[in-house]
């Protein structure tokens, strides 16, 4: 094998943020077991375009024996990733998680004798944050609802008050991976550019993580979007905090 320049990753410094993966045009890097890894020698051209993307300074270039850079393999790798994205990269692989637009919007009072309709106000599927791709059409320019999964059980009129005319994503800040949610929400904000963000959380301390991840992601990539945080009381009542828009991120 020839001696040539190739990327090397310091695993002790790497925190798995994934910035280098996005910076590598050849797709030579990926996050595996929480760390950035070189997928294959022949995918790395050795130019080091990913070096400046790492906030932990975990990437360097070294000269060593490595397989020759192969542009045809790079093309195959990129096409494979694009096909994976096209399939929305659903973690569960379940056909029931395919994107669906639902036409559930009805008048506030359309039941007999003026009673409020009990029809669902859900406008799309899926709703679980892990299953919703940032490219989902219902997210684009939406009034986005980021909801802790216990909230609907504590709000009697959840559909009328919150769900109607909103795009919704749901997650559990205690049991799920908040770092994953933070990165996912950044992608959603960048790609979909929602008009407004409303975070719904319970008053219990473990639920604060959802608001923190949502607002941190907004401040980093889309600070110009207005946001609200609604804290739902277990015994009834709602506290609302307005989060003003800031100057746009550079």
């Amino acid at each position: 094998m020839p001696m040539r320049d190739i990327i090397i990753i310091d695993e002790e410094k790497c925190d798995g943020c994934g910035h280098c993966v996005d910076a590598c045009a050849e797709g030579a890097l990926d996050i595996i077991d929480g760390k950035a890894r070189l997928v294959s020698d022949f995918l790395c051209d050795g130019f080091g375009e990913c070096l400046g993307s790492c906030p932990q300074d975990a990437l360097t270039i070294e000269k060593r024996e490595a397989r020759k850079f192969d542009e045809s393999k790079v093309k195959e790798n990129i096409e494979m990733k694009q096909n994976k994205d096209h399939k929305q990269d659903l973690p569960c692989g379940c056909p029931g998680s395919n994107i669906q637009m639902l036409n559930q919007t009805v008048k506030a009072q359309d039941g007999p004798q003026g009673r409020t309709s009990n029809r669902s106000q859900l406008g799309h599927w899926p709703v679980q944050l892990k299953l919703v791709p940032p490219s989902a059409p219902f997210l684009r320019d939406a009034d986005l609802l980021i909801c802790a999964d216990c909230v609907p059980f504590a709000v009697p009129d959840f559909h009328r008050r919150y769900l109607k005319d909103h795009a919704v994503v749901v997650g559990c800040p205690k049991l799920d991976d908040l770092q994953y949610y933070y990165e996912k929400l950044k992608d959603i904000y960048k790609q979909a550019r929602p008009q407004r963000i409303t975070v719904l959380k319970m008053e219990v301390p473990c639920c604060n993580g959802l608001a923190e991840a949502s607002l941190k992601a907004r401040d980093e990539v889309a600070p110009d979007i207005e946001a609200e945080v609604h804290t739902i009381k277990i015994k009834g009542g709602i506290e609302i905090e307005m989060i003003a828009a800031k100057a746009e991120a550079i």
Side-chain angles (χ1 to χ4, degrees), residues 26-29 39 42-43 72-82:
E26 290 74 30
L29 301 174
V39 177
F42 54 68
L43 297 177
S72 65
K73 294 293 185 182
V74 169
K75 184 178 179 181
E76 290 177 7
N77 185 51
I78 292 174
E79 288 178 352
M80 181 182 68
K81 287 190 173 185
Q82 288 175 341

Side-chain angles (χ1 to χ4, degrees), residues 230-244:
H230 292 209
T231 301
I232 313 301
K233 302 293 186 177
I234 295 175
K235 296 182 179 179
I238 300 172
E239 290 184 358
I240 299 176
E241 179 184 3
M242 309 292 293
I243 312 295

Side-chain angles (χ1 to χ4, degrees), residues 134-161:
S135 59
F138 53 78
L139 294 176
R140 195 172 301 118
D141 298 321
D143 200 338
L144 179 61
L145 198 66
I146 304 170
C147 181
D149 57 4
C150 291
V151 166
F153 298 97
V155 181
D157 57 346
F158 178 78
H159 277 246
R160 179 190 62 80
R161 180 188 291 267

Side-chain angles (χ1 to χ4, degrees), residues 5 31 52 61 105 114-115 136 187 189 199 212 222:
D5 290 340
I31 301 298
I61 293 289
T105 303
R115 287 180 296 176
D187 289 340
Y189 297 159
V199 182
E212 292 171 2

Side-chain angles (χ1 to χ4, degrees), residues 15-249:
D15 63 2
C17 71
H19 293 318
C20 59
V21 176
D22 295 335
C24 180
E26 290 74 30
L29 301 174
D30 206 347
I31 301 298
I32 301 173
D33 296 331
K35 298 287 185 178
R37 314 279 186 184
L38 178 62
V39 177
S40 294
D41 289 357
F42 54 68
L43 297 177
C44 178
D45 59 14
F47 291 160
E49 294 181 7
C50 57
L51 295 181
S53 67
C54 180
Q56 304 300 325
D57 196 28
L59 305 180
T60 53
I61 293 289
E62 70 170 7
K63 188 177 291 291
R64 63 172 174 84
E65 286 190 353
R67 285 177 291 179
K68 185 178 179 181
F69 175 64
D70 190 332
E71 291 188 9
S72 65
K73 294 293 185 182
V74 169
K75 184 178 179 181
E76 290 177 7
N77 185 51
I78 292 174
E79 288 178 352
M80 181 182 68
K81 287 190 173 185
Q82 288 175 341
N83 289 335
K84 184 180 179 182
D85 292 340
H86 182 67
K87 294 177 181 177
Q88 300 160 13
D89 194 19
L90 299 178
C92 69
C94 172
S97 298
N98 291 336
I99 291 177
Q100 301 179 53
M101 302 299 294
L102 310 176
N103 186 20
Q104 300 285 17
T105 303
V106 295
K107 294 180 180 180
Q109 293 185 343
D110 65 350
Q113 299 179 354
R115 287 180 296 176
T116 302
S117 170
N118 61 359
R119 288 180 59 183
S120 171
Q121 296 299 317
L122 182 63
H124 62 82
W125 186 262
V127 297
Q128 218 292 331
L129 185 51
K130 287 185 177 181
L131 302 181
V132 176
S135 59
F138 53 78
L139 294 176
R140 195 172 301 118
D141 298 321
D143 200 338
L144 179 61
L145 198 66
I146 304 170
C147 181
D149 57 4
C150 291
V151 166
F153 298 97
V155 181
D157 57 346
F158 178 78
H159 277 246
R160 179 190 62 80
R161 180 188 291 267
Y162 287 119
L163 196 54
K164 184 178 180 182
D165 298 326
H166 284 76
V168 60
V169 292
V170 179
C172 177
K174 182 177 179 65
L175 301 179
D176 295 339
D177 184 348
L178 277 178
Q179 180 64 29
Y180 174 86
Y181 282 172
Y182 163 68
E183 297 293 344
K184 185 68 170 286
L185 288 168
K186 283 200 300 183
D187 289 340
I188 288 174
Y189 297 159
K190 286 190 289 187
Q191 292 190 40
R193 294 297 303 175
Q195 295 184 16
R196 188 176 184 82
I197 300 165
T198 303
V199 182
L200 303 182
K201 67 181 185 70
M202 299 301 299
E203 64 176 326
V204 293
C206 61
C207 219
N208 292 333
L210 185 64
E212 292 171 2
S214 302
L215 297 177
K216 181 181 177 182
R218 184 208 71 153
D219 290 347
E220 183 167 340
V221 301
D224 56 310
I225 301 176
E226 291 185 354
E228 294 182 10
V229 176
H230 292 209
T231 301
I232 313 301
K233 302 293 186 177
I234 295 175
K235 296 182 179 179
I238 300 172
E239 290 184 358
I240 299 176
E241 179 184 3
M242 309 292 293
I243 312 295
K246 302 178 182 180
E248 287 199 41

